[in-house]
């Protein structure tokens, strides 16, 4: 199991030297087991830490930073109170006032964001190394190939590089791709990804279509700055949540953007048959010609 030192907590989180670091031990185990090890194994982390390669050391640093921040977030409720045989007691200080709940919330959300960004950036760097990527559980078990990392999704629509948000969106993205593939006939994702413009449109189509579906699901919370998921260790979490009317407007925007992207994809494939022989547009036979007149369209 990964064990972080007091010096590492000072470096990654900014905890003071007089902090009671033993309060983090059990939460550290939870943080790595739940938030890190499902995606990056302990074996790979140890390999990165002991490597002489600077890039690998930097990846290890990002992973440990994520683990440290997640650990403190999970420990926050226990830092505020202590459990005794007589119940729960609040820690008191003689010269300093205990932080208000909104201050605790804000530092917790800040730590979650820092952890998410660090973990996402580590995965982005791992993806650049074929050997590491082929052994990384995130890419072999969870990642969606066309939009393979939280950062990739974040480049289209803001999810704060959140692993939780990305993981909840993966199944939606796969469903969208299966439906879209039906329109693309025999064109495979790898074949379409060779064209930069087409890949841009594909990402737009998948991202905005999946977000349109996510709007109807309870696990996603849409706020003015993007998409989040309620963090279970922060039950007091409150954000600038969109109203129903704002969500309806956003749904229309998502649908329109996705529809435009899909139309652009089909047009792109149709206009370049030599490059994409995989695409066979449907042609309807024995259909009466449409006649255009000033008063309208007629068969």
């Amino acid at each position: 199991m990964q064990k972080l030192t007091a010096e590492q907590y000072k470096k990654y989180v900014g905890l003071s030297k007089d902090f009671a670091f033993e309060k983090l031990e059990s939460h550290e185990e939870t943080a790595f087991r739940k938030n890190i090890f499902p995606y990056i194994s302990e074996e790979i982390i140890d390999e990165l830490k002991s490597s002489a390669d600077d890039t690998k050391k930097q990846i290890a640093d990002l992973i440990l930073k994520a683990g440290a921040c997640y650990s403190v977030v999970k420990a926050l409720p226990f830092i505020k109170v202590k459990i005794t045989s007589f119940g729960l007691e609040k820690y008191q200080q003689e010269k300093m006032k205990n932080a208000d709940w909104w201050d605790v919330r804000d530092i917790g959300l800040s730590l979650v964001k820092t952890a998410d960004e660090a973990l996402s950036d580590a995965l982005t760097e791992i993806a650049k190394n074929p050997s590491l990527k082929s052994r990384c559980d995130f890419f072999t078990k969870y990642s969606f190939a066309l939009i393979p990392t939280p950062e990739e999704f974040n480049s289209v629509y803001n999810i704060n590089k959140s692993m939780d948000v990305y993981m909840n969106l993966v199944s939606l993205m796969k469903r969208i791709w299966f439906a879209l593939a039906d329109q693309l006939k025999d064109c495979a994702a790898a074949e379409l990804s060779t064209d930069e413009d087409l890949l841009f449109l594909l990402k737009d189509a998948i991202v905005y279509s999946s977000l349109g579906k996510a709007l109807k699901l309870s696990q996603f919370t849409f706020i003015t700055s993007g998409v989040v998921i309620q963090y279970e260790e922060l039950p007091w979490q409150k954000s600038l949540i969109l109203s129903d009317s704002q969500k309806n407007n956003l749904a229309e925007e998502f649908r329109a953007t996705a529809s435009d992207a899909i139309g652009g994809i089909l047009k792109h494939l149709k206009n370049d048959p030599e490059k994409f022989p995989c695409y066979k547009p449907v042609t309807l036979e024995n259909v009466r010609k449409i006649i255009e007149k000033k008063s309208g369209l007629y068969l």
Side-chain angles (χ1 to χ4, degrees):
M1 193 193 91
Q2 293 296 313
K3 291 286 291 181
L4 298 176
T5 65
E7 290 302 317
Q8 286 174 313
Y9 276 110
K10 293 177 197 174
K11 173 184 176 182
Y12 298 133
V13 185
L15 297 181
S16 61
K17 63 181 180 180
D18 58 349
F19 184 86
F21 293 98
E22 66 275 6
K23 293 183 181 295
L24 300 174
E25 288 181 4
S26 62
H27 308 290
E28 183 179 284
E29 185 277 333
T30 303
F32 275 92
R33 174 170 46 80
K34 181 178 177 182
N35 297 92
I36 306 292
F37 291 156
Y39 313 118
I40 307 171
S41 69
E42 188 164 18
E43 179 184 354
I44 287 181
I45 296 173
D46 288 338
E47 175 188 326
L48 294 169
K49 285 165 56 179
S50 60
S51 174
D53 182 87
D54 286 341
T55 300
K56 289 184 177 180
K57 282 186 176 296
Q58 288 169 6
I59 297 173
D61 238 23
L62 288 169
I63 296 168
L64 297 178
K65 182 173 185 176
C69 290
Y70 286 134
S71 298
V72 176
V73 171
K74 293 182 187 301
L76 278 176
F78 297 89
I79 294 172
K80 284 169 59 68
V81 300
K82 59 181 176 180
I83 303 173
T84 72
S85 301
F86 305 100
L88 300 179
E89 297 179 3
K90 187 176 181 181
Y91 284 103
Q92 297 288 343
Q93 298 181 76
E94 293 181 6
K95 296 182 180 180
M96 296 183 69
K97 177 187 174 185
N98 284 322
D100 293 312
W101 68 265
W102 53 84
D103 293 323
V104 179
R105 173 205 64 192
D106 290 346
I107 194 170
L109 293 176
S110 177
L111 287 170
V112 169
K113 185 176 180 181
T114 299
D116 285 342
E117 287 179 343
L119 182 57
S120 174
D121 290 348
L123 289 169
T124 298
E125 291 303 313
I126 287 174
K128 298 174 183 178
N129 185 314
S131 174
L132 281 176
K133 184 179 179 181
S134 66
R135 294 182 289 122
C136 180
D137 289 339
F138 174 75
F139 293 105
T140 59
K141 295 180 181 179
Y142 303 108
S143 173
F144 174 61
L146 281 168
I147 303 172
T149 62
E151 182 173 353
E152 197 76 33
F153 196 104
N154 204 79
S155 68
V156 181
Y157 193 86
N158 184 34
I159 59 171
N160 289 308
K161 297 186 181 181
S162 168
M163 179 66 81
D164 285 342
V165 175
Y166 177 85
M167 290 300 295
N168 277 274
L169 285 165
V170 165
S171 61
L172 296 179
M173 290 192 287
K174 287 181 177 178
R175 290 177 196 170
I176 296 299
W177 169 245
F178 291 145
L180 187 57
D182 203 36
Q183 296 185 58
L184 302 179
K185 308 309 172 189
D186 296 326
C187 294
E191 203 169 356
L192 301 175
S193 299
T194 58
D195 185 286
E196 191 173 325
D197 293 333
L198 196 52
L199 182 59
F200 171 82
L201 291 171
L202 271 172
K203 288 181 179 179
D204 261 18
I206 292 169
V207 165
Y208 287 104
S209 294
S210 62
L211 288 171
K213 291 187 178 296
L215 270 167
K216 301 175 183 177
L217 301 177
S218 59
Q219 66 262 44
F220 297 97
T221 301
F222 283 77
I223 60 176
T224 53
S225 60
V227 191
V228 298
I229 288 179
Q230 176 75 34
Y231 204 77
E232 61 194 46
E233 279 74 24
L234 301 174
W236 54 85
Q237 179 182 341
K238 294 180 181 179
S239 300
L240 299 174
I241 300 174
L242 300 184
S243 65
D244 287 342
S245 62
Q246 288 174 313
K247 286 175 70 174
N248 289 334
N249 292 335
L250 195 59
E252 287 300 319
E253 290 179 23
F254 288 160
R255 278 193 287 270
T257 304
S259 180
D260 288 346
I262 293 170
I265 291 168
L266 297 177
K267 182 178 179 181
H268 197 86
L269 294 174
K270 186 178 179 182
N271 290 344
D272 201 350
E274 291 185 3
K275 187 174 181 179
F276 299 102
C278 57
Y279 179 66
K280 306 281 192 302
V282 176
T283 54
L284 299 177
E285 297 179 359
N286 300 322
V287 176
R288 294 175 65 185
K289 184 178 179 182
I290 296 177
I291 302 171
E292 183 179 356
K293 295 184 178 181
K294 289 184 180 180
S295 55
L297 300 176
Y298 300 88
L299 290 174

